[in-house]
Amino acid sequence: MGDTLEFNEIYQEVKGSWNDGRLRFSKQNVVYKSSKTGKVDSIPAGELSLAQWRRVCLGHGIKLSTSTGHIYKYDGFRDTDFEKISDFFKANYSVELTEKDMCVKGWNWGTAKFSGPLLSFDVNDITAFEVPLSNVSQCATGKNEVTLEFHQNDDAEVSLMEVRFYVPPSQADERQDPVEAFAQNVLSKADVIQATGDAVCIFKELQCLTPRGRYDIRIYPTFLHLHGKTFDYKIPYTTVLRLFLLPHKDQRQMFFVISLDPPIKQGQTRYHFLILLFSKEENISLSLNMSEDDVERRFEGKLSKNMSGSLYELVSRVMKALVNRKITVPGNFQGHSGAQCITCSYKATSGLLYPLERGFIYVHKPPVHLRFEEISCVNFARGTTTTRSFDFEIETKQGNQYTFSNIEREEYDKLFDFVNAKKLNIKNRGFKEGMKGKIDEYSDSDEDKHDAYLERMKAEGKIREEGNDSDDSDSGSDESFNPGEEDDDIAEEYDSKASASDSSDEGEGSEDDSPKKKQKVEKPKVVKEKKERKPRKEKKQKDKGGPKRPMSAYMLWLNSSRERIKSENPGISVTEISKKAGEMWRQLGKDEKEEWDTKAGEAKRQYDIAKKEYRESGGGDSSISKREAKKSAGKKDDKKRKSSGVDKERERGGGNESFKSREFIETSESSSDSDHKSKSKKKKKKKEESEEEEEEEEAASTPASSEEESD
């Protein structure tokens, strides 16, 4: 048998909700770690006094009792686990694991027994059910009744609100009422907040960010009382999970964060974190409302009766002594500006992200705390709005994703090195390089080898000096997203790789430039000769005097069927008539189409005869002569333009700008006339082209004839 026994998916009941976790039995202690909160319960092996194996709703469970009066219950074991756990307990703890049966009769009368923090209801000396008295929030008494009210858990699907016990009158001891005795036993172990006695100390008008407002904080031995103008909150110390002391980026303020489970409630709002904001310059003197002997006996030197110093230091010292938990502060991380946090945005609200030794915490709206052990992977993403920032994404093992955006690009190297040093999985480069080291799964997420809070108090001045030195560093230039890569592919202005600029003549006057500027190569301007545009090919012009082209078989059929289509489809448009006619033409049979094909063929023969007669009579020659005349006129205009250009160049070459020769005046007048003629020709060409396009569109809309289909 090994030195340890480990079990996964072991459940612990917390105020009506089952929380899973890991349980480990070792020779020194029994350790249980909750997967939800990361809270660790450690039971020394020497304190174990009783171990019971019971059949419960989630299979089998173990009930452990200690010599200090605490009771721990863990469920989710299998029937086969009994033998190896029993042998381990005998060999290492000298405690026998006994089997304990539960009563399943369903009777509602029996005996109520108080055993430590549990109220056990037995039927025939067999336990029917147990009520943890720490879950009781209120206890009320009646004539012969005792009513227990319970704390509510938001994670529980079904919550037990209250239980009523009927206590029959007893004639044995008339001096003590059995109802009052029952209630006193419940209240002695119940988590009932009663403001009996005076507060240990009071802090006046503290600024609270969550819940927002100014509150008087009254410190009682078992709970914390927040008294504001509108709301009051009573927070038992048993609900405090962690304490954080975080320096603000401006180095003038401090955040004190209290993590709560279960959270404090105000209507439908739940506050899982209590965040206080202090100024470093605010100092006070504090006197505890206790005698010096009581302070020494209760706090064992952690506090003294009279204390003075910064307000945030005194509040954190008092809370640490009463809650008996370490204060978590930022570790060795330092950002680009020397601060121990990173400015970013979460859910469209700006805040500060603190990389801790065992997790991340974001303040302040909404506060988020993520432990490394619940992080699946992280991702560095390019910013969506600008290249000057990037996004830091965290994905948990439960599938939740947290995106911290608008982080300055200068923070990339620092944050990447921090994540890499903590061996977190980085999604950008794959999962193989991350999580190389073995992590103690049963260690507390806030336990460090050294007390970082005390180290911070001792070296606060040194950290402040380092932060001031790093503030003087210059900011980086606007480069690409990854600061490790340089943009070598961008050539400088006077680099040998860079191309010569067009404005090379601007810097000729400066002869005493740097050597880089002397390497600049001056290239003469190359004047490109203007190429003469080729004349456009003239389209065939329509001969208006010639015979009209014959219609196809489809057009002949359409002209005869147009009126019939209109009558059958009243209100039909012109475009819809053509669509409808095309469909009807395709549905016609070969016999029907042959009739129109013969008519189209007859019309084609008549057109050929008429065209032949027209050409024999000389009708087509006139159009050919007109085309030739237009071509010759165009050539003349080109010659005139060239001659005018030569004259203008001669005039520029001469020194006298006011003198103009007679030839220049004549050519300029002729060029203006030619320009006027060319404009009129362009208008005529546009008209002729539009007419030809109309004819082509008419031919394109005509479906193929039956002869083409047969081919």
Side-chain angles (χ1 to χ4, degrees):
M1 181 179 292
D3 294 338
T4 60
L5 284 179
E6 294 188 7
F7 299 92
N8 295 326
E9 295 184 2
I10 301 300
Y11 295 87
Q12 184 182 38
E13 187 265 332
V14 179
K15 296 182 180 179
S17 177
W18 292 101
N19 294 340
D20 66 320
R22 296 186 180 92
L23 182 65
R24 181 178 67 186
F25 298 106
S26 64
K27 292 182 178 181
Q28 294 80 18
N29 53 15
V30 178
V31 180
Y32 178 81
K33 185 171 185 178
S34 173
S35 299
K36 178 190 174 186
T37 60
K39 188 177 180 181
V40 177
D41 294 332
S42 182
I43 309 170
E47 294 183 1
L48 288 175
S49 60
L50 179 66
Q52 292 181 353
W53 179 268
R54 306 186 300 176
R55 180 69 183 268
V56 291
C57 59
L58 296 177
H60 293 79
I62 289 180
K63 177 183 176 182
L64 303 176
S65 300
T66 63
S67 57
T68 56
H70 294 88
I71 294 177
Y72 303 90
K73 293 189 291 182
Y74 305 106
D75 298 349
F77 296 95
R78 298 178 182 175
D79 192 12
T80 56
D81 297 334
F82 174 74
E83 293 183 3
K84 57 182 179 182
I85 295 175
S86 178
D87 295 340
F88 188 88
F89 274 43
K90 287 180 182 179
N92 297 286
Y93 302 150
S94 300
V95 175
E96 184 178 357
L97 184 63
T98 59
E99 294 188 65
K100 180 75 173 177
D101 294 331
M102 304 291 290
C103 180
V104 292
K105 288 185 177 181
W107 292 1
N108 61 348
W109 65 90
T111 306
K113 295 181 180 180
F114 294 92
S115 57
L118 288 178
L119 168 60
S120 175
F121 188 80
D122 297 348
V123 177
N124 295 335
D125 294 331
I126 301 175
T127 302
F129 63 89
E130 294 174 337
V131 178
L133 294 178
S134 60
N135 293 356
V136 176
S137 63
Q138 194 58 259
C139 180
T141 59
K143 185 177 181 182
N144 291 319
E145 281 186 345
V146 178
T147 303
L148 305 184
E149 297 180 4
F150 299 93
H151 291 288
Q152 301 305 305
N153 192 341
D154 295 335
D155 297 331
E157 297 181 0
V158 180
S159 298
L160 178 64
M161 301 295 293
E162 66 176 28
V163 174
R164 292 186 181 184
F165 292 95
Y166 174 76
V167 183
S170 175
Q171 298 179 356
D173 190 1
E174 296 181 355
R175 290 175 298 178
Q176 185 177 8
D177 187 2
V179 174
E180 291 294 331
F182 190 99
Q184 289 299 324
N185 287 328
V186 172
L187 291 173
S188 63
K189 299 293 182 181
D191 188 12
V192 179
I193 299 176
Q194 294 178 342
T196 56
D198 297 330
V200 176
C201 60
I202 300 175
F203 298 99
K204 293 282 189 179
E205 293 290 324
L206 296 185
Q207 183 180 357
C208 192
L209 300 180
T210 304
R212 188 165 58 90
R214 288 195 173 270
Y215 291 85
D216 293 341
I217 297 183
R218 299 173 181 175
I219 307 294
Y220 287 89
T222 57
F223 68 95
L224 182 71
H225 183 200
L226 269 70
H227 176 68
K229 293 182 179 179
T230 309
F231 302 110
D232 280 8
Y233 301 99
K234 293 180 180 179
I235 304 172
Y237 296 141
T238 55
T239 64
V240 177
L241 281 180
R242 295 174 184 85
L243 301 174
F244 301 92
L245 188 61
L246 308 171
H248 198 280
K249 194 172 185 179
D250 60 7
Q251 301 295 330
R252 293 181 297 165
Q253 300 179 94
M254 297 290 291
F255 293 108
F256 185 63
V257 183
I258 303 174
S259 176
L260 304 173
D261 184 46
I264 56 178
K265 307 174 185 178
Q266 183 58 52
Q268 297 298 322
T269 307
R270 303 290 184 267
Y271 298 105
H272 292 271
F273 293 89
L274 177 65
I275 303 178
L276 302 173
L277 183 63
F278 299 95
S279 174
K280 282 187 175 182
E281 299 175 355
E282 190 173 357
N283 299 322
I284 63 165
S285 297
L286 182 66
S287 178
L288 300 183
N289 191 16
M290 299 172 68
S291 63
E292 292 185 359
D293 295 337
D294 292 340
V295 172
E296 183 66 26
R297 185 178 63 256
R298 173 76 184 273
F299 301 112
E300 299 177 354
K302 296 178 182 178
L303 298 177
S304 57
K305 181 175 175 59
N306 297 310
M307 296 178 290
S308 62
S310 299
L311 178 59
Y312 74 91
E313 288 185 6
L314 294 182
V315 172
S316 58
R317 283 183 61 187
V318 170
M319 288 298 299
K320 180 183 177 182
L322 288 170
V323 179
N324 197 20
R325 286 195 172 273
K326 288 185 177 181
I327 296 178
T328 304
V329 299
N332 299 324
F333 176 83
Q334 272 198 346
H336 173 72
S337 61
Q340 295 179 295
C341 57
I342 296 172
T343 304
C344 61
S345 297
Y346 176 64
K347 290 187 176 180
T349 305
S350 180
L352 300 174
L353 179 67
Y354 291 85
L356 308 175
E357 289 300 318
R358 293 183 179 269
F360 294 97
I361 186 170
Y362 173 82
V363 290
H364 74 96
K365 193 175 182 180
V368 177
H369 180 231
L370 298 170
R371 294 173 283 119
F372 288 159
E373 59 197 29
E374 62 179 339
I375 294 176
S376 173
C377 62
V378 299
N379 182 34
F380 292 88
R382 186 181 293 275
T384 55
T385 57
T386 177
T387 57
R388 293 286 298 171
S389 64
F390 67 95
D391 297 347
F392 182 58
E393 300 172 354
I394 300 177
E395 187 174 342
T396 63
K397 294 177 181 177
Q398 289 79 18
N400 300 324
Q401 186 169 350
Y402 301 86
T403 302
F404 302 97
S405 58
N406 297 332
I407 303 175
E408 293 181 0
R409 218 184 44 163
E410 288 79 6
E411 306 284 0
Y412 174 81
D413 287 336
K414 301 284 187 180
L415 185 59
F416 185 87
D417 294 341
F418 175 82
V419 172
N420 197 26
K422 296 301 178 183
K423 295 182 173 59
L424 296 176
N425 286 327
I426 300 177
K427 199 172 184 180
N428 305 60
R429 65 179 185 182
F431 291 91
K432 294 183 180 179
E433 299 184 24
M435 304 299 287
K436 292 179 181 177
K438 185 177 180 182
I439 298 174
D440 188 3
E441 295 178 345
Y442 294 90
S443 62
D444 194 350
S445 59
D446 296 321
E447 287 182 357
D448 296 325
K449 293 182 180 179
H450 66 284
D451 193 343
Y453 173 68
L454 294 178
E455 294 288 335
R456 176 181 177 77
M457 293 295 106
K458 293 177 182 178
E460 188 175 10
K462 184 178 179 180
I463 293 172
R464 190 176 300 156
E465 289 177 4
E466 292 176 358
N468 293 334
D469 294 340
S470 61
D471 285 336
D472 300 332
S473 60
D474 296 329
S475 59
S477 59
D478 189 6
E479 300 172 356
S480 61
F481 167 64
N482 193 345
E485 298 177 2
E486 296 180 357
D487 298 334
D488 294 334
D489 55 341
I490 301 174
E492 296 291 337
E493 184 180 0
Y494 297 108
D495 195 359
S496 59
K497 298 179 183 179
S499 60
S501 61
D502 294 336
S503 59
S504 60
D505 297 333
E506 293 178 0
E508 292 178 355
S510 58
E511 296 178 357
D512 299 332
D513 290 341
S514 61
K516 287 186 177 180
K517 291 187 178 181
K518 290 181 180 179
Q519 294 176 4
K520 185 179 173 182
V521 180
E522 295 183 358
K523 292 184 179 180
K525 288 188 177 181
V526 179
V527 180
K528 294 182 179 180
E529 295 181 357
K530 294 183 179 179
K531 295 181 180 180
E532 294 183 2
R533 295 180 63 182
K534 294 181 180 180
R536 292 178 60 184
K537 293 182 180 180
E538 293 187 2
K539 295 181 180 179
K540 292 183 179 180
Q541 295 184 357
K542 187 177 179 182
D543 194 357
K544 296 181 180 180
K548 288 186 178 181
R549 291 172 58 188
M551 286 189 290
S552 63
Y554 169 74
M555 293 302 296
L556 293 171
W557 172 83
L558 179 60
N559 289 337
S560 64
S561 305
R562 193 185 302 274
E563 295 300 327
R564 179 168 60 85
I565 295 171
K566 286 184 179 180
S567 61
E568 292 177 357
N569 302 281
I572 191 169
S573 62
V574 178
T575 56
E576 291 176 353
I577 288 174
S578 61
K579 290 180 183 178
K580 187 73 175 176
E583 294 174 1
M584 294 171 66
W585 175 256
R586 293 189 200 97
Q587 293 174 2
L588 289 178
K590 289 185 178 180
D591 297 338
E592 295 177 347
K593 286 186 178 180
E594 283 180 2
E595 177 185 353
W596 298 102
D597 289 339
T598 54
K599 291 182 180 180
E602 183 64 28
K604 183 74 167 57
R605 285 190 291 272
Q606 291 178 3
Y607 170 75
D608 292 339
I609 295 168
K611 189 176 182 181
K612 188 178 180 182
E613 293 176 354
Y614 177 71
R615 284 183 178 176
E616 289 176 355
S617 62
D621 298 335
S622 61
S623 61
I624 293 168
S625 62
K626 286 179 181 178
R627 290 176 195 168
E628 292 176 353
K630 286 181 180 178
K631 286 181 181 179
S632 61
K635 290 179 181 178
K636 289 180 181 178
D637 292 338
D638 293 338
K639 289 180 180 179
K640 289 179 180 179
R641 289 194 194 98
K642 288 179 182 178
S643 62
S644 62
V646 172
D647 294 336
K648 287 180 180 177
E649 288 178 1
R650 287 176 183 170
E651 185 187 357
R652 289 195 194 102
N656 192 358
E657 295 180 357
S658 61
F659 175 75
K660 290 184 181 180
S661 63
R662 188 164 55 87
E663 290 84 2
F664 173 78
I665 297 169
E666 288 178 357
T667 52
S668 62
E669 289 175 357
S670 62
S671 63
S672 62
D673 295 336
S674 63
D675 293 339
H676 181 70
K677 288 177 182 179
S678 62
K679 289 181 181 179
S680 61
K681 285 178 182 179
K682 286 180 181 179
K683 290 181 180 179
K684 288 181 181 179
K685 283 182 181 180
K686 287 182 180 179
K687 285 183 180 180
E688 290 170 0
E689 288 174 2
S690 62
E691 289 177 358
E692 288 182 2
E693 287 175 0
E694 288 177 0
E695 290 180 0
E696 289 175 0
E697 289 177 359
E698 185 177 353
S701 63
T702 306
S705 61
S706 60
E707 293 177 0
E708 293 172 351
E709 290 175 359
S710 62
D711 292 339

